[in-house]
Amino acid sequence: EAGVAQSPRYKIIEKRQSVAFWCNPISGHATLYWYQQILGQGPKLLIQFQNNGVVDDSQLPKDRFSAERLKGVDSTLKIQPAKLEDSAVYLCASSLWGDYTDTQYFGPGTRLTVL
Amino acid sequence: DQQVKQNSPSLSVQEGRISILNCDYTNSMFDYFLWYKKYPAEGPTFLISISSIKDKNEDGRFTVFLNKSAKHLSLHIVPSQPGDSAVYFCAAKRGYALNFGKGTSLLVTP
């Protein structure tokens, strides 16, 4: 079974530029999550999708971050414009249904450096 | 506000001995707890979990203990192997959202 795929793996941009990350979840997984992991911290949930609907985006900085999951499969996360403090690893995860016993499977992440 | 705390940033253990990783939480509403393991340049991978209605769960060399009155859980790895060297994250759930600790870096030396 193929795992969660993410691209690109690494991205370096200057502040105020835009960037987009892509995620392809495990086939058949209805729930998709985006996390931000700052160096030395645990992952922090940014947004959760159930199929193509948003379940929770309470921690997404909506003035600069946006995410979509068209057709309930792939997802993109965008930052526009980027700030220095956005430097982090962005992790995508997926799970079957999203209930409390569901295991979340993580992709390898995209490491973003904002200069 | 950090609701899940891993107070030991690192731990070094000899191969064959027991590794004990600790985690404390503040939110008594958490009802499911998990441990994830992370190698460099990879995403976290699920290791073991425990429901709040249990106090112990075992899977091979890995055992998780939950002490709800103390709001404390621990992961025991016996025997430890060099391949266990990784960062271990404790996570707690209420509903669907995972709340992670900052992680403990485990080094198992030959």
Side-chain angles (χ1 to χ4, degrees):
Chain A
E1 177 183 84
V4 176
Q6 289 188 249
S7 68
R9 292 296 309 276
Y10 304 91
K11 190 75 178 178
I12 300 174
I13 61 172
E14 296 193 347
K15 60 183 179 184
R16 292 187 288 272
Q17 285 188 319
S18 302
V19 65
F21 313 127
W22 173 83
C23 173
N24 181 240
I26 293 173
S27 177
H29 280 194
T31 311
L32 185 146
Y33 314 78
W34 282 102
Y35 287 86
Q36 179 193 57
Q37 186 178 12
I38 292 171
L39 188 65
Q41 306 285 322
K44 182 185 87 170
L45 180 68
L46 292 175
I47 188 167
Q48 177 185 349
F49 292 94
Q50 186 77 11
N51 295 309
N52 58 353
V54 175
V55 174
D56 181 3
D57 63 357
S58 58
Q59 299 205 79
L60 188 74
K62 297 181 189 63
D63 57 333
R64 298 183 300 105
F65 287 63
S66 64
E68 60 182 10
R69 190 183 183 197
L70 299 175
K71 300 180 182 178
V73 181
D74 293 4
S75 177
T76 55
L77 176 70
K78 296 179 182 176
I79 308 175
Q80 180 179 9
K83 292 186 174 181
L84 296 176
E85 59 261 36
D86 299 332
S87 294
V89 175
Y90 290 85
L91 294 161
C92 179
S94 70
S95 66
L96 268 174
W97 296 113
D99 71 20
Y100 89 109
T101 61
D102 229 9
T103 298
Q104 293 185 24
Y105 296 89
F106 285 82
T110 297
R111 181 177 294 279
L112 174 67
T113 302
V114 182
L115 303 175
Chain B
D1 177 32
Q2 194 78 20
Q3 298 186 72
V4 178
K5 298 177 185 178
Q6 294 177 256
N7 292 319
S8 299
S10 63
L11 176 67
S12 183
V13 170
Q14 272 193 317
E15 181 178 6
R17 307 289 273 259
I18 184 171
S19 295
I20 300 176
L21 294 93
N22 293 304
C23 177
D24 297 294
Y25 61 95
T26 57
N27 189 340
S28 58
M29 300 299 289
F30 287 140
D31 54 12
Y32 202 69
F33 303 88
L34 307 91
W35 285 93
Y36 278 81
K37 174 178 172 179
K38 186 180 183 307
Y39 292 117
E42 294 183 13
T45 55
F46 170 72
L47 195 55
I48 191 168
S49 62
I50 187 167
S51 165
S52 60
I53 61 173
K54 296 188 174 181
D55 55 18
K56 177 181 173 181
N57 187 28
E58 247 179 297
D59 184 3
R61 297 186 296 114
F62 303 91
T63 303
V64 56
F65 295 92
L66 176 62
N67 182 335
K68 279 197 302 182
S69 60
K71 296 194 182 69
H72 177 83
L73 64 156
S74 61
L75 174 68
H76 292 211
I77 306 173
V78 184
S80 300
Q81 299 173 353
D84 296 329
S85 298
V87 177
Y88 289 78
F89 290 98
C90 171
K93 269 189 181 187
R94 177 174 176 254
Y96 53 80
L98 276 174
N99 295 270
F100 283 90
K102 291 185 179 183
T104 296
S105 179
L106 173 66
L107 176 64
V108 181
T109 57

